Amino acid sequence: MTDKVIIFDTTLRDGEQSPGISLDALEKLEIAEQLARLGVDVLEAGFPVASQGDFEAVEAIAKQVEGPVICGLSRTQLADVDRCWDAVRHAQRGRIHVFISTSPQHMEHMLKMDEKQVLAETRAGVARARMHTDDVEFSPQDATRTPLDFMIEVLQAAVDAGANTLNIPDTVGYGIPWDFGALIQYVRREVKGDYVTSTHCHNDLGLATANSLAGIQAGARQVEVCVNGLGERAGNAALEEVVMALKIRPDQFPGVEIGIHTEELARTSRLVARLTGYPVQFNKAVVGRNAFAHESGIHQHGVLAERTTYEIIDAGSVGQTGSQIVLGKHSGRHAFSDTLAKMGLTLQGPALDAAFKRFKELADRKVQLTDADLEAIVAEEIGGHVADGFELDSLKVSGGTVGTPQATVVLVRAGDQVEATAEGDGMIDAACKAIKAATGVEGALTDFNVSSVTGGVDALGDVIVQLEAEGVRVSGRGLSTDVVEASARAFLNAVNKVVRLRDQKDRRMPEATP
Ligand code: KIV
Ligand code: ZN
């Protein structure tokens, strides 16, 4: 007997709510395509009513991404539900996910509604969604702090109005595995009807993965997860952890099956890290760069003799194998696009041209480029290209232990050149100050992270920055064999996002964000 657990990925919705993440439609589309390759069953593409940008991204994903059910999130308000469906309806299979808060804390301080009103909203929102599609999910937000009787009443109302997935969100990460498992069991016993029970666990106590697994053991057959454990505050249950726990311990989940192609996990993790600007911690389970590294002599000896002595996961099974050398400076456009296609990367048209140009620049400075380098170049191109943004034409820096470091940048925007020179505490600081002077965007760098894409002295430096400016927090990334240049590119990428948000006046509506 097999028993499928539906993997519901919410990286593009809850994950995107992590502070400082602001993905544009192209970036979301690239991640969505990769999630489809990974084999997720349901892909929550966004919250269409939150902004025009969110709407367009969900719509583009629904139109283009094949495979998963495409889901949009909606409050219970009828106009929200209709707007959500407008974005999702293009999908081969579309789902509306309706939610409303049910805990006393949320009802009193946020919704200003009593239980009767919340019940009425639930019925109306779910029934409206059901008019559009027969795939409707309902979530009582902050379920783990909701009185049990009321939660059951709301869930029953949702099923009676047509919901066929009941998601139990541990919105504030309050659950403890055995207590969360018992909650799932209780829901399944008390709520009558034909529905799938789902978990949505946040990680405030570091228990999101454990709680999700407890939910599955108690009968939940959908788990809501995010790649790299992204999400509000401390994040959501990490997709890769839940998936690998189910794979590695079938004895604990007899008959349970999932449709994930685990060899795509590492690549998915890298793509999400690059495009969101949230690096993966080195010791992160499954996808961290140290997840298969052995430091002590005893461990090294054991693994060399027999891998299973100290490894429960085969690195190859999650795509964590060494990078392959794929291209060099003599490789042409055809070989470049062919290799990207084989790697499942989907750049086309002007974006492909720009990525090829960048590849040539970098290949001139680095003897050979690996698949990881190519992924980084593509990610830089997708995220770095901000329509009508500033482009780096040239950068000149001077510094060292003597004299004041100085930088001159020449930027181009819509054919116009702008040049600025600045001094700083170091060459990177000087370059960032010169970019500020040239673009007129002031702001504070709140985070700065440098890593190398692969090993070796000619490795590409991958810089990720977080910038706070004009009331928004954005990330930026840059790539180069030279760390100062990579930093300047990352800073300029972040500045361009600030300019884009300013131009679009497309900020999230805070009151609409779950
Ligand atoms: O954490 C939460 O409660 C949510 C809901 C919208 C499902 O993200
Ligand atoms: Zn959530």
Side-chain angles (χ1 to χ4, degrees), residues 121-158:
E121 280 287 315
T122 299
R123 287 191 191 99
V126 170
R128 183 63 153 237
R130 197 55 208 251
M131 282 168 56
H132 295 303
T133 171
D134 58 9
D135 190 346
V136 176
E137 171 168 335
F138 173 75
S139 288
Q141 194 173 29
D142 206 8
T144 43
R145 293 191 301 169
T146 298
L148 281 180
D149 289 352
F150 181 55
M151 186 184 69
I152 297 298
E153 206 180 341
V154 175
L155 290 172
Q156 191 64 62

PDB file of all heavy atoms in Angstrom, residues 121-158:
ATOM      1  N   GLU A 121     -17.036  34.692   7.648  1.00  0.00           N
ATOM      2  CA  GLU A 121     -15.992  35.002   6.648  1.00  0.00           C
ATOM      3  C   GLU A 121     -15.448  33.721   6.016  1.00  0.00           C
ATOM      4  O   GLU A 121     -15.215  33.655   4.822  1.00  0.00           O
ATOM      5  CB  GLU A 121     -14.828  35.735   7.326  1.00  0.00           C
ATOM      6  CG  GLU A 121     -15.074  37.207   7.556  1.00  0.00           C
ATOM      7  CD  GLU A 121     -15.015  38.003   6.262  1.00  0.00           C
ATOM      8  OE1 GLU A 121     -14.087  37.771   5.466  1.00  0.00           O
ATOM      9  OE2 GLU A 121     -15.910  38.833   6.050  1.00  0.00           O
ATOM     10  N   THR A 122     -15.226  32.718   6.872  1.00  0.00           N
ATOM     11  CA  THR A 122     -14.681  31.441   6.381  1.00  0.00           C
ATOM     12  C   THR A 122     -15.631  30.843   5.345  1.00  0.00           C
ATOM     13  O   THR A 122     -15.218  30.464   4.244  1.00  0.00           O
ATOM     14  CB  THR A 122     -14.506  30.453   7.564  1.00  0.00           C
ATOM     15  OG1 THR A 122     -13.601  31.038   8.480  1.00  0.00           O
ATOM     16  CG2 THR A 122     -13.979  29.104   7.105  1.00  0.00           C
ATOM     17  N   ARG A 123     -16.906  30.776   5.717  1.00  0.00           N
ATOM     18  CA  ARG A 123     -17.890  30.166   4.791  1.00  0.00           C
ATOM     19  C   ARG A 123     -17.919  30.933   3.477  1.00  0.00           C
ATOM     20  O   ARG A 123     -17.870  30.344   2.395  1.00  0.00           O
ATOM     21  CB  ARG A 123     -19.292  30.207   5.410  1.00  0.00           C
ATOM     22  CG  ARG A 123     -19.460  29.222   6.536  1.00  0.00           C
ATOM     23  CD  ARG A 123     -20.916  29.076   6.969  1.00  0.00           C
ATOM     24  NE  ARG A 123     -20.964  28.339   8.205  1.00  0.00           N
ATOM     25  CZ  ARG A 123     -21.095  28.881   9.422  1.00  0.00           C
ATOM     26  NH1 ARG A 123     -21.234  30.200   9.559  1.00  0.00           N
ATOM     27  NH2 ARG A 123     -21.100  28.124  10.488  1.00  0.00           N
ATOM     28  N   ALA A 124     -17.964  32.269   3.582  1.00  0.00           N
ATOM     29  CA  ALA A 124     -18.110  33.086   2.369  1.00  0.00           C
ATOM     30  C   ALA A 124     -16.864  32.968   1.480  1.00  0.00           C
ATOM     31  O   ALA A 124     -16.969  32.779   0.272  1.00  0.00           O
ATOM     32  CB  ALA A 124     -18.353  34.542   2.756  1.00  0.00           C
ATOM     33  N   GLY A 125     -15.673  33.076   2.098  1.00  0.00           N
ATOM     34  CA  GLY A 125     -14.431  33.055   1.309  1.00  0.00           C
ATOM     35  C   GLY A 125     -14.224  31.710   0.614  1.00  0.00           C
ATOM     36  O   GLY A 125     -13.880  31.643  -0.565  1.00  0.00           O
ATOM     37  N   VAL A 126     -14.458  30.625   1.365  1.00  0.00           N
ATOM     38  CA  VAL A 126     -14.257  29.292   0.783  1.00  0.00           C
ATOM     39  C   VAL A 126     -15.293  29.032  -0.310  1.00  0.00           C
ATOM     40  O   VAL A 126     -14.967  28.527  -1.395  1.00  0.00           O
ATOM     41  CB  VAL A 126     -14.309  28.204   1.886  1.00  0.00           C
ATOM     42  CG1 VAL A 126     -14.347  26.809   1.264  1.00  0.00           C
ATOM     43  CG2 VAL A 126     -13.113  28.334   2.826  1.00  0.00           C
ATOM     44  N   ALA A 127     -16.535  29.405  -0.043  1.00  0.00           N
ATOM     45  CA  ALA A 127     -17.582  29.162  -1.054  1.00  0.00           C
ATOM     46  C   ALA A 127     -17.269  29.936  -2.333  1.00  0.00           C
ATOM     47  O   ALA A 127     -17.430  29.428  -3.444  1.00  0.00           O
ATOM     48  CB  ALA A 127     -18.946  29.562  -0.496  1.00  0.00           C
ATOM     49  N   ARG A 128     -16.761  31.174  -2.172  1.00  0.00           N
ATOM     50  CA  ARG A 128     -16.422  31.963  -3.359  1.00  0.00           C
ATOM     51  C   ARG A 128     -15.288  31.281  -4.136  1.00  0.00           C
ATOM     52  O   ARG A 128     -15.324  31.188  -5.361  1.00  0.00           O
ATOM     53  CB  ARG A 128     -15.991  33.358  -2.920  1.00  0.00           C
ATOM     54  CG  ARG A 128     -15.672  34.292  -4.066  1.00  0.00           C
ATOM     55  CD  ARG A 128     -16.902  34.542  -4.945  1.00  0.00           C
ATOM     56  NE  ARG A 128     -16.809  35.815  -5.594  1.00  0.00           N
ATOM     57  CZ  ARG A 128     -17.712  36.787  -5.500  1.00  0.00           C
ATOM     58  NH1 ARG A 128     -18.820  36.610  -4.812  1.00  0.00           N
ATOM     59  NH2 ARG A 128     -17.534  37.923  -6.120  1.00  0.00           N
ATOM     60  N   ALA A 129     -14.280  30.803  -3.398  1.00  0.00           N
ATOM     61  CA  ALA A 129     -13.156  30.132  -4.065  1.00  0.00           C
ATOM     62  C   ALA A 129     -13.664  28.896  -4.799  1.00  0.00           C
ATOM     63  O   ALA A 129     -13.244  28.600  -5.926  1.00  0.00           O
ATOM     64  CB  ALA A 129     -12.099  29.749  -3.036  1.00  0.00           C
ATOM     65  N   ARG A 130     -14.581  28.203  -4.179  1.00  0.00           N
ATOM     66  CA  ARG A 130     -15.101  26.960  -4.775  1.00  0.00           C
ATOM     67  C   ARG A 130     -15.904  27.231  -6.058  1.00  0.00           C
ATOM     68  O   ARG A 130     -16.057  26.369  -6.910  1.00  0.00           O
ATOM     69  CB  ARG A 130     -15.941  26.260  -3.713  1.00  0.00           C
ATOM     70  CG  ARG A 130     -16.249  24.808  -3.963  1.00  0.00           C
ATOM     71  CD  ARG A 130     -15.011  23.972  -4.195  1.00  0.00           C
ATOM     72  NE  ARG A 130     -15.329  22.833  -5.045  1.00  0.00           N
ATOM     73  CZ  ARG A 130     -15.375  21.569  -4.650  1.00  0.00           C
ATOM     74  NH1 ARG A 130     -15.044  21.252  -3.411  1.00  0.00           N
ATOM     75  NH2 ARG A 130     -15.710  20.604  -5.474  1.00  0.00           N
ATOM     76  N   MET A 131     -16.409  28.478  -6.175  1.00  0.00           N
ATOM     77  CA  MET A 131     -17.092  28.823  -7.431  1.00  0.00           C
ATOM     78  C   MET A 131     -16.095  28.872  -8.592  1.00  0.00           C
ATOM     79  O   MET A 131     -16.453  28.680  -9.745  1.00  0.00           O
ATOM     80  CB  MET A 131     -17.772  30.197  -7.304  1.00  0.00           C
ATOM     81  CG  MET A 131     -19.078  30.152  -6.540  1.00  0.00           C
ATOM     82  SD  MET A 131     -19.656  31.805  -6.103  1.00  0.00           S
ATOM     83  CE  MET A 131     -19.730  32.599  -7.688  1.00  0.00           C
ATOM     84  N   HIS A 132     -14.824  29.158  -8.269  1.00  0.00           N
ATOM     85  CA  HIS A 132     -13.806  29.283  -9.311  1.00  0.00           C
ATOM     86  C   HIS A 132     -13.124  27.958  -9.634  1.00  0.00           C
ATOM     87  O   HIS A 132     -12.756  27.703 -10.764  1.00  0.00           O
ATOM     88  CB  HIS A 132     -12.721  30.270  -8.879  1.00  0.00           C
ATOM     89  CG  HIS A 132     -13.203  31.683  -8.729  1.00  0.00           C
ATOM     90  ND1 HIS A 132     -13.813  32.369  -9.754  1.00  0.00           N
ATOM     91  CD2 HIS A 132     -13.157  32.540  -7.665  1.00  0.00           C
ATOM     92  CE1 HIS A 132     -14.119  33.597  -9.335  1.00  0.00           C
ATOM     93  NE2 HIS A 132     -13.738  33.724  -8.081  1.00  0.00           N
ATOM     94  N   THR A 133     -12.850  27.155  -8.604  1.00  0.00           N
ATOM     95  CA  THR A 133     -12.067  25.922  -8.802  1.00  0.00           C
ATOM     96  C   THR A 133     -12.507  24.865  -7.794  1.00  0.00           C
ATOM     97  O   THR A 133     -12.970  25.211  -6.695  1.00  0.00           O
ATOM     98  CB  THR A 133     -10.549  26.197  -8.613  1.00  0.00           C
ATOM     99  OG1 THR A 133      -9.842  24.957  -8.595  1.00  0.00           O
ATOM    100  CG2 THR A 133     -10.216  26.949  -7.347  1.00  0.00           C
ATOM    101  N   ASP A 134     -12.302  23.614  -8.165  1.00  0.00           N
ATOM    102  CA  ASP A 134     -12.668  22.575  -7.181  1.00  0.00           C
ATOM    103  C   ASP A 134     -11.468  22.189  -6.311  1.00  0.00           C
ATOM    104  O   ASP A 134     -11.520  21.216  -5.575  1.00  0.00           O
ATOM    105  CB  ASP A 134     -13.294  21.351  -7.867  1.00  0.00           C
ATOM    106  CG  ASP A 134     -12.368  20.744  -8.907  1.00  0.00           C
ATOM    107  OD1 ASP A 134     -11.184  21.166  -8.957  1.00  0.00           O
ATOM    108  OD2 ASP A 134     -12.821  19.869  -9.670  1.00  0.00           O
ATOM    109  N   ASP A 135     -10.375  22.970  -6.409  1.00  0.00           N
ATOM    110  CA  ASP A 135      -9.209  22.706  -5.559  1.00  0.00           C
ATOM    111  C   ASP A 135      -9.035  23.890  -4.603  1.00  0.00           C
ATOM    112  O   ASP A 135      -8.446  24.919  -4.952  1.00  0.00           O
ATOM    113  CB  ASP A 135      -7.963  22.521  -6.446  1.00  0.00           C
ATOM    114  CG  ASP A 135      -6.770  21.997  -5.649  1.00  0.00           C
ATOM    115  OD1 ASP A 135      -6.823  22.036  -4.408  1.00  0.00           O
ATOM    116  OD2 ASP A 135      -5.781  21.577  -6.274  1.00  0.00           O
ATOM    117  N   VAL A 136      -9.597  23.753  -3.405  1.00  0.00           N
ATOM    118  CA  VAL A 136      -9.598  24.875  -2.443  1.00  0.00           C
ATOM    119  C   VAL A 136      -8.985  24.426  -1.115  1.00  0.00           C
ATOM    120  O   VAL A 136      -9.380  23.406  -0.549  1.00  0.00           O
ATOM    121  CB  VAL A 136     -11.031  25.406  -2.202  1.00  0.00           C
ATOM    122  CG1 VAL A 136     -11.038  26.500  -1.135  1.00  0.00           C
ATOM    123  CG2 VAL A 136     -11.633  25.926  -3.502  1.00  0.00           C
ATOM    124  N   GLU A 137      -8.009  25.204  -0.667  1.00  0.00           N
ATOM    125  CA  GLU A 137      -7.370  24.918   0.626  1.00  0.00           C
ATOM    126  C   GLU A 137      -7.792  25.987   1.622  1.00  0.00           C
ATOM    127  O   GLU A 137      -7.946  27.154   1.268  1.00  0.00           O
ATOM    128  CB  GLU A 137      -5.835  24.936   0.430  1.00  0.00           C
ATOM    129  CG  GLU A 137      -5.063  24.857   1.732  1.00  0.00           C
ATOM    130  CD  GLU A 137      -3.577  24.582   1.521  1.00  0.00           C
ATOM    131  OE1 GLU A 137      -3.204  24.000   0.466  1.00  0.00           O
ATOM    132  OE2 GLU A 137      -2.795  24.954   2.421  1.00  0.00           O
ATOM    133  N   PHE A 138      -7.938  25.570   2.871  1.00  0.00           N
ATOM    134  CA  PHE A 138      -8.286  26.558   3.907  1.00  0.00           C
ATOM    135  C   PHE A 138      -7.306  26.449   5.081  1.00  0.00           C
ATOM    136  O   PHE A 138      -6.940  25.356   5.497  1.00  0.00           O
ATOM    137  CB  PHE A 138      -9.721  26.343   4.419  1.00  0.00           C
ATOM    138  CG  PHE A 138     -10.016  27.230   5.590  1.00  0.00           C
ATOM    139  CD1 PHE A 138     -10.255  28.595   5.404  1.00  0.00           C
ATOM    140  CD2 PHE A 138     -10.006  26.727   6.893  1.00  0.00           C
ATOM    141  CE1 PHE A 138     -10.477  29.435   6.492  1.00  0.00           C
ATOM    142  CE2 PHE A 138     -10.228  27.568   7.988  1.00  0.00           C
ATOM    143  CZ  PHE A 138     -10.472  28.922   7.780  1.00  0.00           C
ATOM    144  N   SER A 139      -6.903  27.627   5.605  1.00  0.00           N
ATOM    145  CA  SER A 139      -6.000  27.671   6.770  1.00  0.00           C
ATOM    146  C   SER A 139      -6.567  28.559   7.876  1.00  0.00           C
ATOM    147  O   SER A 139      -6.814  29.748   7.635  1.00  0.00           O
ATOM    148  CB  SER A 139      -4.655  28.300   6.394  1.00  0.00           C
ATOM    149  OG  SER A 139      -3.900  27.452   5.595  1.00  0.00           O
ATOM    150  N   PRO A 140      -6.744  28.034   9.093  1.00  0.00           N
ATOM    151  CA  PRO A 140      -7.054  28.885  10.246  1.00  0.00           C
ATOM    152  C   PRO A 140      -5.728  29.404  10.804  1.00  0.00           C
ATOM    153  O   PRO A 140      -5.005  28.670  11.473  1.00  0.00           O
ATOM    154  CB  PRO A 140      -7.739  27.925  11.220  1.00  0.00           C
ATOM    155  CG  PRO A 140      -7.184  26.575  10.863  1.00  0.00           C
ATOM    156  CD  PRO A 140      -6.687  26.605   9.452  1.00  0.00           C
ATOM    157  N   GLN A 141      -5.401  30.658  10.494  1.00  0.00           N
ATOM    158  CA  GLN A 141      -4.075  31.163  10.880  1.00  0.00           C
ATOM    159  C   GLN A 141      -3.918  31.168  12.399  1.00  0.00           C
ATOM    160  O   GLN A 141      -4.851  31.484  13.124  1.00  0.00           O
ATOM    161  CB  GLN A 141      -3.860  32.580  10.325  1.00  0.00           C
ATOM    162  CG  GLN A 141      -2.411  33.003  10.414  1.00  0.00           C
ATOM    163  CD  GLN A 141      -2.118  34.327   9.734  1.00  0.00           C
ATOM    164  OE1 GLN A 141      -3.007  35.174   9.657  1.00  0.00           O
ATOM    165  NE2 GLN A 141      -0.925  34.516   9.247  1.00  0.00           N
ATOM    166  N   ASP A 142      -2.713  30.830  12.841  1.00  0.00           N
ATOM    167  CA  ASP A 142      -2.386  30.727  14.269  1.00  0.00           C
ATOM    168  C   ASP A 142      -3.184  29.596  14.933  1.00  0.00           C
ATOM    169  O   ASP A 142      -3.629  29.717  16.077  1.00  0.00           O
ATOM    170  CB  ASP A 142      -2.637  32.065  14.982  1.00  0.00           C
ATOM    171  CG  ASP A 142      -1.773  32.227  16.239  1.00  0.00           C
ATOM    172  OD1 ASP A 142      -0.882  31.385  16.468  1.00  0.00           O
ATOM    173  OD2 ASP A 142      -2.010  33.199  16.986  1.00  0.00           O
ATOM    174  N   ALA A 143      -3.328  28.501  14.193  1.00  0.00           N
ATOM    175  CA  ALA A 143      -4.137  27.371  14.675  1.00  0.00           C
ATOM    176  C   ALA A 143      -3.648  26.844  16.019  1.00  0.00           C
ATOM    177  O   ALA A 143      -4.453  26.471  16.880  1.00  0.00           O
ATOM    178  CB  ALA A 143      -4.107  26.248  13.645  1.00  0.00           C
ATOM    179  N   THR A 144      -2.332  26.811  16.227  1.00  0.00           N
ATOM    180  CA  THR A 144      -1.817  26.180  17.455  1.00  0.00           C
ATOM    181  C   THR A 144      -2.117  27.008  18.707  1.00  0.00           C
ATOM    182  O   THR A 144      -1.941  26.531  19.810  1.00  0.00           O
ATOM    183  CB  THR A 144      -0.296  25.916  17.352  1.00  0.00           C
ATOM    184  OG1 THR A 144       0.324  27.065  16.757  1.00  0.00           O
ATOM    185  CG2 THR A 144      -0.006  24.695  16.516  1.00  0.00           C
ATOM    186  N   ARG A 145      -2.582  28.261  18.526  1.00  0.00           N
ATOM    187  CA  ARG A 145      -2.989  29.048  19.709  1.00  0.00           C
ATOM    188  C   ARG A 145      -4.508  29.314  19.674  1.00  0.00           C
ATOM    189  O   ARG A 145      -4.996  30.250  20.309  1.00  0.00           O
ATOM    190  CB  ARG A 145      -2.202  30.353  19.775  1.00  0.00           C
ATOM    191  CG  ARG A 145      -0.708  30.105  20.057  1.00  0.00           C
ATOM    192  CD  ARG A 145       0.029  31.371  20.395  1.00  0.00           C
ATOM    193  NE  ARG A 145      -0.059  32.347  19.314  1.00  0.00           N
ATOM    194  CZ  ARG A 145       0.320  33.616  19.417  1.00  0.00           C
ATOM    195  NH1 ARG A 145       0.800  34.061  20.574  1.00  0.00           N
ATOM    196  NH2 ARG A 145       0.239  34.447  18.385  1.00  0.00           N
ATOM    197  N   THR A 146      -5.212  28.501  18.908  1.00  0.00           N
ATOM    198  CA  THR A 146      -6.664  28.668  18.794  1.00  0.00           C
ATOM    199  C   THR A 146      -7.352  27.643  19.700  1.00  0.00           C
ATOM    200  O   THR A 146      -6.961  26.462  19.687  1.00  0.00           O
ATOM    201  CB  THR A 146      -7.086  28.423  17.312  1.00  0.00           C
ATOM    202  OG1 THR A 146      -6.448  29.390  16.492  1.00  0.00           O
ATOM    203  CG2 THR A 146      -8.593  28.515  17.143  1.00  0.00           C
ATOM    204  N   PRO A 147      -8.373  28.046  20.470  1.00  0.00           N
ATOM    205  CA  PRO A 147      -9.093  27.061  21.292  1.00  0.00           C
ATOM    206  C   PRO A 147      -9.618  25.928  20.404  1.00  0.00           C
ATOM    207  O   PRO A 147     -10.164  26.178  19.323  1.00  0.00           O
ATOM    208  CB  PRO A 147     -10.244  27.875  21.897  1.00  0.00           C
ATOM    209  CG  PRO A 147      -9.779  29.296  21.835  1.00  0.00           C
ATOM    210  CD  PRO A 147      -8.876  29.404  20.640  1.00  0.00           C
ATOM    211  N   LEU A 148      -9.442  24.687  20.879  1.00  0.00           N
ATOM    212  CA  LEU A 148      -9.734  23.528  20.028  1.00  0.00           C
ATOM    213  C   LEU A 148     -11.155  23.520  19.469  1.00  0.00           C
ATOM    214  O   LEU A 148     -11.369  23.280  18.282  1.00  0.00           O
ATOM    215  CB  LEU A 148      -9.509  22.242  20.830  1.00  0.00           C
ATOM    216  CG  LEU A 148      -8.054  21.802  20.978  1.00  0.00           C
ATOM    217  CD1 LEU A 148      -7.968  20.518  21.788  1.00  0.00           C
ATOM    218  CD2 LEU A 148      -7.407  21.623  19.615  1.00  0.00           C
ATOM    219  N   ASP A 149     -12.135  23.785  20.334  1.00  0.00           N
ATOM    220  CA  ASP A 149     -13.544  23.694  19.877  1.00  0.00           C
ATOM    221  C   ASP A 149     -13.807  24.653  18.737  1.00  0.00           C
ATOM    222  O   ASP A 149     -14.464  24.319  17.758  1.00  0.00           O
ATOM    223  CB  ASP A 149     -14.507  24.029  21.021  1.00  0.00           C
ATOM    224  CG  ASP A 149     -14.512  22.934  22.051  1.00  0.00           C
ATOM    225  OD1 ASP A 149     -13.893  21.887  21.782  1.00  0.00           O
ATOM    226  OD2 ASP A 149     -15.116  23.140  23.129  1.00  0.00           O
ATOM    227  N   PHE A 150     -13.260  25.884  18.897  1.00  0.00           N
ATOM    228  CA  PHE A 150     -13.504  26.879  17.849  1.00  0.00           C
ATOM    229  C   PHE A 150     -12.778  26.481  16.559  1.00  0.00           C
ATOM    230  O   PHE A 150     -13.321  26.612  15.462  1.00  0.00           O
ATOM    231  CB  PHE A 150     -13.069  28.272  18.329  1.00  0.00           C
ATOM    232  CG  PHE A 150     -13.313  29.340  17.300  1.00  0.00           C
ATOM    233  CD1 PHE A 150     -14.582  29.533  16.754  1.00  0.00           C
ATOM    234  CD2 PHE A 150     -12.277  30.148  16.840  1.00  0.00           C
ATOM    235  CE1 PHE A 150     -14.808  30.497  15.778  1.00  0.00           C
ATOM    236  CE2 PHE A 150     -12.496  31.114  15.873  1.00  0.00           C
ATOM    237  CZ  PHE A 150     -13.769  31.292  15.342  1.00  0.00           C
ATOM    238  N   MET A 151     -11.566  25.976  16.709  1.00  0.00           N
ATOM    239  CA  MET A 151     -10.820  25.583  15.508  1.00  0.00           C
ATOM    240  C   MET A 151     -11.591  24.500  14.739  1.00  0.00           C
ATOM    241  O   MET A 151     -11.730  24.567  13.507  1.00  0.00           O
ATOM    242  CB  MET A 151      -9.430  25.073  15.870  1.00  0.00           C
ATOM    243  CG  MET A 151      -8.607  24.812  14.630  1.00  0.00           C
ATOM    244  SD  MET A 151      -7.013  24.105  15.000  1.00  0.00           S
ATOM    245  CE  MET A 151      -7.495  22.524  15.566  1.00  0.00           C
ATOM    246  N   ILE A 152     -12.126  23.527  15.460  1.00  0.00           N
ATOM    247  CA  ILE A 152     -12.867  22.447  14.786  1.00  0.00           C
ATOM    248  C   ILE A 152     -14.114  23.021  14.102  1.00  0.00           C
ATOM    249  O   ILE A 152     -14.450  22.658  12.968  1.00  0.00           O
ATOM    250  CB  ILE A 152     -13.250  21.333  15.802  1.00  0.00           C
ATOM    251  CG1 ILE A 152     -11.980  20.698  16.377  1.00  0.00           C
ATOM    252  CG2 ILE A 152     -14.164  20.286  15.158  1.00  0.00           C
ATOM    253  CD1 ILE A 152     -11.069  20.001  15.379  1.00  0.00           C
ATOM    254  N   GLU A 153     -14.779  23.956  14.784  1.00  0.00           N
ATOM    255  CA  GLU A 153     -15.989  24.549  14.196  1.00  0.00           C
ATOM    256  C   GLU A 153     -15.656  25.268  12.876  1.00  0.00           C
ATOM    257  O   GLU A 153     -16.359  25.121  11.875  1.00  0.00           O
ATOM    258  CB  GLU A 153     -16.571  25.551  15.206  1.00  0.00           C
ATOM    259  CG  GLU A 153     -18.053  25.767  15.044  1.00  0.00           C
ATOM    260  CD  GLU A 153     -18.576  26.769  16.080  1.00  0.00           C
ATOM    261  OE1 GLU A 153     -17.896  27.022  17.120  1.00  0.00           O
ATOM    262  OE2 GLU A 153     -19.668  27.325  15.823  1.00  0.00           O
ATOM    263  N   VAL A 154     -14.542  26.017  12.895  1.00  0.00           N
ATOM    264  CA  VAL A 154     -14.144  26.756  11.687  1.00  0.00           C
ATOM    265  C   VAL A 154     -13.755  25.781  10.577  1.00  0.00           C
ATOM    266  O   VAL A 154     -14.151  25.939   9.417  1.00  0.00           O
ATOM    267  CB  VAL A 154     -12.962  27.715  11.992  1.00  0.00           C
ATOM    268  CG1 VAL A 154     -12.472  28.387  10.725  1.00  0.00           C
ATOM    269  CG2 VAL A 154     -13.377  28.768  12.998  1.00  0.00           C
ATOM    270  N   LEU A 155     -12.972  24.758  10.935  1.00  0.00           N
ATOM    271  CA  LEU A 155     -12.532  23.797   9.915  1.00  0.00           C
ATOM    272  C   LEU A 155     -13.727  23.056   9.308  1.00  0.00           C
ATOM    273  O   LEU A 155     -13.794  22.839   8.097  1.00  0.00           O
ATOM    274  CB  LEU A 155     -11.545  22.797  10.525  1.00  0.00           C
ATOM    275  CG  LEU A 155     -10.167  23.368  10.889  1.00  0.00           C
ATOM    276  CD1 LEU A 155      -9.340  22.340  11.669  1.00  0.00           C
ATOM    277  CD2 LEU A 155      -9.390  23.800   9.640  1.00  0.00           C
ATOM    278  N   GLN A 156     -14.700  22.707  10.171  1.00  0.00           N
ATOM    279  CA  GLN A 156     -15.890  22.013   9.651  1.00  0.00           C
ATOM    280  C   GLN A 156     -16.664  22.937   8.703  1.00  0.00           C
ATOM    281  O   GLN A 156     -17.143  22.501   7.646  1.00  0.00           O
ATOM    282  CB  GLN A 156     -16.787  21.565  10.820  1.00  0.00           C
ATOM    283  CG  GLN A 156     -17.897  20.622  10.390  1.00  0.00           C
ATOM    284  CD  GLN A 156     -17.348  19.289   9.838  1.00  0.00           C
ATOM    285  OE1 GLN A 156     -16.691  18.533  10.540  1.00  0.00           O
ATOM    286  NE2 GLN A 156     -17.597  19.017   8.552  1.00  0.00           N
ATOM    287  N   ALA A 157     -16.729  24.219   9.084  1.00  0.00           N
ATOM    288  CA  ALA A 157     -17.431  25.185   8.218  1.00  0.00           C
ATOM    289  C   ALA A 157     -16.723  25.266   6.864  1.00  0.00           C
ATOM    290  O   ALA A 157     -17.367  25.350   5.805  1.00  0.00           O
ATOM    291  CB  ALA A 157     -17.462  26.555   8.888  1.00  0.00           C
ATOM    292  N   ALA A 158     -15.391  25.225   6.889  1.00  0.00           N
ATOM    293  CA  ALA A 158     -14.627  25.316   5.636  1.00  0.00           C
ATOM    294  C   ALA A 158     -14.892  24.095   4.756  1.00  0.00           C
ATOM    295  O   ALA A 158     -15.112  24.222   3.548  1.00  0.00           O
ATOM    296  CB  ALA A 158     -13.138  25.444   5.939  1.00  0.00           C
TER     297      ALA A 158
END
